[in-house]
Amino acid sequence: MIELITAGESHGKGLFGILRGIPCGLKIDTDFVNGMLALRQRGFGRGERMKIEKDRINIVSGIDENGVSTGSPIGFFIDNIDTKLNATKRSFTVPRPGHADFAGSVKYNFKNLAMPSERTSGRLSALDVAAGSIAALFLREFGVKVYFAVECIGKTCAFAKDLSEDTFEKVLSSDILAMGKEAEMKAEIENAVKSEDTIGGRGLAIVRNLPAGLGDYNDWRNRADGLVAQAVMSVGTVKSVSIGESGITSGAIYHDPFEMKNGTLKRLSNNAGGIEGGITNGEDVVVRFFSKPIPTVRRGIPSVDIKNGKNTRSVYVRSDTCVVPAVTLVSAMRIALVFASLLTEKFGGETMSDIRASFNNYINSRRAFWQK
Ligand code: EPS
């Protein structure tokens, strides 16, 4: 099992993570991790904080002098450069509808309603990206790749027919991680800026080449679809998660036919999105998620000053206009963590070579399902 434990606040000294369960013998390519951290910060529509921070992973434990995992917990931190705006300095009593200001302050009895946002800030997602990129490096060792793209910003959507590696390579060079219609999507963000609003949208993540058999149907807690849904739904702005197609109501059309062709078993579609019975079925795992527009709206939203009970509007604090690209990357990295964990659970072993042997043995022993 692979687990991430986090600590840190948006404007505290820094962000801290302990990634437990990465087996011994994985080369941790910090350039790859730092590249992903930079990608999280990139993006049209991001706020001023992105110009302040230069996120980089500092690994303090669990690797040897060559950057190879030792099997011990990987402890890491990411510095905060902006430590000035901590909650004691950023103080307000008017909750932003949609943020954790109200519910979090009721729960912990905070008088300063800015307190919950120190821990719920999007900044914390840098930890998910750092840990998720290590999980993605682990998955790569088994030929598993994680892809992601923004599908919609506002009402503008772009879908690529060809979801090949090339398409996703191009996504990486897009300012907003889009598969197309970049100019229209940027115009949506610009309009939101002009009208002192924020804007949401939809992201896509695909995990390719997973073996069939990860996750389990015996206990709802172990179902792969449920684990993916929780990992993505708990990303700050995400309000819905779907796996595969969710708009087809005819069973005859929805379900993905099997066909034996030239001695190889094939599926003729992938409406199930790669998971059946809570278990991966060997097809691409396809996950979509809707990110609401963020709650820090410049023109304010009707709210109440909790100190004196007067009707007023929510406060504006420095924020982003659009976080859909960042949320897309963060969700994909959370999904990488889920599947890396399921893979270690199924194939066990404390070292990469043990897991590889068990993985290869499994693939060979199940080959008869696909090949005749
Ligand atoms: C973010 C850091 C935050 C916000 C944003 C995302 O930094 P600051 O509060 O100092 O400007 O820009 O967080 C939110 C949108 C939010 O609602 O908390 C980041 O690193 O992603």
Side-chain angles (χ1 to χ4, degrees):
M1 188 179 199
I2 296 178
E3 264 183 333
L4 171 67
I5 295 169
T6 72
E9 279 90 29
S10 185
H11 306 99
K13 284 194 174 152
L15 310 174
F16 307 86
I18 296 179
L19 184 60
R20 187 161 76 178
I22 293 290
C24 179
L26 178 73
K27 168 85 184 144
I28 314 277
D29 175 356
T30 48
D31 288 345
F32 175 76
V33 177
N34 288 331
M36 292 300 220
L37 286 171
L39 206 56
R40 192 196 76 89
Q41 292 195 276
R42 193 212 285 171
F44 198 77
R46 294 288 259 155
E48 293 298 305
R49 182 80 185 266
M50 298 310 130
K51 294 183 192 140
I52 302 172
E53 306 293 341
K54 292 268 170 303
D55 293 342
R56 296 184 72 76
I57 189 168
N58 297 285
I59 300 181
V60 294
S61 71
I63 55 168
D64 68 12
E65 65 280 12
N66 300 313
V68 176
S69 62
T70 60
S72 301
I74 298 178
F76 63 95
F77 69 91
I78 299 167
D79 271 332
N80 278 339
I81 294 173
D82 189 349
T83 57
K84 295 187 207 85
L85 263 177
N86 62 45
T88 50
K89 290 181 188 139
R90 185 192 268 186
S91 173
F92 50 82
T93 53
V94 182
R96 291 165 291 175
H99 218 298
D101 305 346
F102 179 76
S105 295
V106 171
K107 181 175 170 68
Y108 288 100
N109 205 14
F110 291 139
K111 300 295 173 252
N112 174 4
L113 272 57
M115 286 296 278
S117 56
E118 276 300 311
R119 184 71 183 148
T120 58
S121 166
R123 171 128 194 89
L124 275 292
S125 66
L127 290 166
D128 295 304
V129 171
S133 334
I134 295 175
L137 287 169
F138 169 78
L139 288 171
R140 262 197 209 174
E141 294 291 313
F142 300 90
V144 178
K145 293 223 177 134
V146 183
Y147 301 101
F148 47 85
V150 165
E151 277 192 340
C152 306
I153 287 183
K155 292 193 175 71
T156 305
C157 296
F159 314 100
K161 279 200 193 95
D162 156 37
L163 293 176
S164 65
E165 185 135 356
D166 276 0
T167 299
F168 288 109
E169 270 302 314
K170 281 184 208 134
V171 163
L172 295 182
S173 55
S174 156
D175 256 3
I176 46 170
L177 303 180
M179 286 189 277
K181 294 196 186 167
E182 196 179 278
E184 287 102 309
M185 288 191 193
K186 284 184 170 176
E188 294 257 16
I189 299 171
E190 268 162 356
N191 284 339
V193 173
K194 268 188 224 134
S195 52
E196 303 197 327
D197 202 353
T198 59
I199 191 159
R202 203 172 77 195
L204 163 76
I206 294 185
V207 190
R208 190 159 281 164
N209 220 15
L210 278 167
L214 300 186
D216 194 46
Y217 51 63
N218 279 303
D219 186 327
W220 63 268
R221 292 169 199 82
N222 298 333
R223 291 179 72 105
D225 40 10
L227 292 167
V228 166
Q230 193 197 3
V232 178
M233 185 63 103
S234 54
V235 173
T237 58
V238 170
K239 294 305 277 185
S240 78
V241 185
S242 64
I243 297 177
E245 288 303 320
S246 41
I248 302 172
T249 53
S250 153
I253 297 171
Y254 180 93
H255 297 292
D256 309 314
F258 288 99
E259 190 183 88
M260 191 53 86
K261 207 171 176 189
N262 304 326
T264 304
L265 187 76
K266 291 211 171 336
R267 301 305 287 266
L268 302 185
S269 54
N270 184 24
N271 293 327
I275 301 179
E276 290 169 310
I279 302 175
T280 55
N281 65 4
E283 303 298 308
D284 288 355
V285 170
V286 182
V287 188
R288 291 190 166 83
F289 31 89
F290 167 71
S291 166
K292 70 180 179 183
I294 60 161
T296 315
V297 173
R298 198 177 280 269
R299 66 164 112 127
I301 299 171
S303 187
V304 169
D305 190 331
I306 299 299
K307 207 167 59 187
N308 56 27
K310 289 208 171 108
N311 287 321
T312 177
R313 293 181 81 76
S314 60
V315 288
Y316 179 75
V317 292
R318 180 181 68 196
S319 194
D320 310 285
T321 303
C322 179
V323 292
V324 181
V327 165
T328 300
L329 171 67
V330 171
S331 301
M333 293 302 103
R334 287 255 183 108
I335 295 169
L337 268 173
V338 167
F339 284 110
S341 183
L342 288 177
L343 207 135
T344 58
E345 276 168 52
K346 174 126 188 75
F347 301 110
E350 278 82 34
T351 70
M352 289 300 287
S353 53
D354 290 345
I355 299 186
R356 219 171 266 125
S358 159
F359 180 86
N360 290 339
N361 177 50
Y362 174 80
I363 299 292
N364 289 331
S365 72
R366 302 299 195 275
R367 212 174 282 284
F369 280 92
W370 281 274
Q371 281 170 0
K372 289 287 172 250

